[in-house]
Amino acid sequence: MPNTKKRVSYFYDPEVGNFHYGVSHPMKPHRLALTNTLVFSYGLHDKMEICRPWRASEHDMCRYHDPEYIKFLKSVTPEKAQGILKDLSKSFCVGEDCPAFAGIYEFCSIYTGASLEGAAKLNTGASDIAINWSGGLHHAKKSEASGFCYVNDIVISILELLRYHPRVLYIDIDI
């Protein structure tokens, strides 16, 4: 009987939990650190390849997103969003649901890089399953933030998967 053990890659960057959408915002990236603690506490890490993901570049993010939007994310700060870039932040839908916070571009780079690296491992056959609890931020549009999401790592990862596969099935299980 052939070995059917699946190769699982688990992507986690400890810095991803250090970002903060704001006190009253329901999105809490620090929960990712708690999830990682559970993975290790239950010994699940022994059954997976643990990967510290690469950071997605501006070029990677522009595989789907408008370059001007990504440049905006790279330069926006909470202070700039309140002042000078108020009109520009509205055009990119950065506001109450998607606030400008310190390190927003780095946060996007971490979760997008993990999803993209997971897709690459699936493409090359290095993994059968790729897990990135920080990803799945699929509401972001080509030129604007939406639904707590700034960079659509799902679309970018699907584009990577389509380089090797004729079709990709994506199932959204938001509840």
Side-chain angles (χ1 to χ4, degrees):
M1 180 176 216
N3 184 1
T4 59
K5 186 176 178 180
K6 300 289 183 183
R7 292 164 298 162
V8 180
S9 295
Y10 170 68
F11 295 89
Y12 178 72
D13 185 321
E15 291 182 39
V16 77
N18 296 338
F19 299 96
H20 196 260
Y21 277 60
V23 177
S24 61
H25 199 283
M27 181 71 147
K28 307 290 185 200
H30 76 274
R31 292 177 182 158
L32 297 165
L34 299 175
T35 302
N36 188 63
T37 299
L38 287 172
V39 166
F40 277 79
S41 294
Y42 283 102
L44 299 174
H45 65 289
D46 293 330
K47 307 203 181 321
M48 303 182 279
E49 173 193 18
I50 306 301
C51 305
R52 183 165 183 162
W54 68 55
R55 303 281 175 106
S57 67
E58 190 173 332
H59 175 77
D60 292 330
M61 293 183 218
C62 289
R63 290 170 79 171
Y64 169 67
H65 291 286
D66 182 275
E68 290 304 311
Y69 171 62
I70 297 302
K71 285 179 187 163
F72 169 78
L73 290 178
K74 209 169 186 180
S75 66
V76 71
T77 64
E79 298 77 27
K80 285 182 182 177
Q82 292 293 325
I84 301 169
L85 296 177
K86 194 165 188 160
D87 292 333
L88 189 56
S89 68
K90 283 183 182 174
S91 70
F92 291 126
C93 288
V94 172
E96 193 172 317
D97 271 0
C98 300
F101 58 85
I104 191 170
Y105 178 83
E106 289 76 17
F107 177 65
C108 295
S109 178
I110 292 170
Y111 74 77
T112 302
S115 294
L116 194 52
E117 188 175 353
K121 280 185 168 279
L122 294 171
N123 278 345
T124 62
S127 295
D128 299 305
I129 298 168
I131 300 171
N132 172 24
W133 295 124
S134 66
L137 300 173
H138 62 279
H139 295 286
K141 299 173 184 160
K142 189 169 184 69
S143 296
E144 65 184 57
S146 179
F148 310 168
C149 307
Y150 301 90
V151 171
N152 195 323
D153 63 306
I154 295 300
V155 169
I156 294 167
S157 297
I158 288 171
L159 291 171
E160 175 63 24
L161 290 167
L162 287 170
R163 293 178 60 220
Y164 290 78
H165 307 282
R167 294 179 298 181
V168 174
L169 173 64
Y170 169 70
I171 301 172
D172 177 7
I173 56 171
D174 276 358
I175 49 174

